[in-house]
Amino acid sequence: PYPEVPAFLRALRESNASEAIKLAFELTVLSATRTSETLLATWSEVDLSTQTWTIPGERMKAGVEHRVPLSSRCVEILTEAQSLAEGSHYVFPGRSGTKPLSGMAFLMALRRMGHNDVTTHGFRSSFRDWAAERTNVPRAVCEAALAHSLRDKTEAAYHRTDLFERRRELMTAWAGFATFDSAAKA
């Protein structure tokens, strides 16, 4: 459930998972991307100056390029990841540096944290539920943030924008919610 995401991210940061896994997992949650999109990310896809991550169509489920607006926290994560990547073209390289982190990395982190009933993909649902219940952002913007394609062929024919700036606002708000430290409020 989305109300539990901030506590989960705090627990993730405090876990004994490797720094690369913690950063990659948090980026996945905050960007509402799929596991493979994060794990296979390369530095050539990331533009920190424009706070944009462009995932090529061949790596997307729908086969269409997807621009991800990066919140300030996502930029911090990627900046930290640069020091860990040690010249690898992968943003989150595995031990050898020539391959990405394993597809099992997040699942094992979840299990070690005692979250046997949670999946990484479920955080996309957490994001979508939060957007529906806590914002007044139009459905089309929320769905575009998840890189979902329009099923209505007529509507899709007239839809010529990726709603990028609207999605930037949404993803910034999501990152603010998901990383909110309740201890700071107290």
Side-chain angles (χ1 to χ4, degrees), residues 36-163:
S36 64
E37 293 161 3
T38 300
L39 295 181
L40 297 174
T42 63
W43 287 111
S44 64
E45 298 170 2
V46 176
D47 186 341
L48 293 176
S49 66
T50 63
Q51 297 183 288
T52 305
W53 170 21
T54 305
I55 306 170
E58 58 268 12
R59 290 204 315 100
M60 295 299 300
K61 183 176 179 181
V64 178
E65 178 183 278
H66 180 58
R67 293 188 309 153
V68 179
L70 299 170
S71 67
S72 296
R73 177 60 187 146
C74 288
V75 171
E76 289 173 9
I77 290 168
L78 290 164
T79 300
E80 289 178 50
Q82 282 180 321
S83 65
L84 300 175
E86 298 180 20
S88 174
H89 79 281
Y90 288 107
V91 175
F92 301 106
R95 291 181 190 178
S96 71
T98 60
K99 294 180 181 176
L101 279 175
S102 165
M104 293 295 293
F106 296 164
L107 180 63
M108 296 310 298
L110 285 167
R111 298 302 170 257
R112 288 183 185 117
M113 292 172 66
H115 292 287
N116 297 321
D117 59 343
V118 174
T119 65
T120 309
H121 197 79
F123 286 95
R124 287 170 53 84
S125 179
S126 301
F127 162 76
R128 188 62 183 90
D129 289 346
W130 168 84
E133 291 189 12
R134 291 289 199 80
T135 76
N136 59 1
V137 174
R139 179 184 184 282
V141 176
C142 299
E143 291 298 301
L146 292 167
H148 287 165
S149 49
L150 294 171
R151 292 185 183 183
D152 183 316
K153 301 243 186 257
T154 304
E155 184 181 359
Y158 288 94
H159 192 75
R160 300 201 183 184
T161 177
D162 66 357
L163 303 164

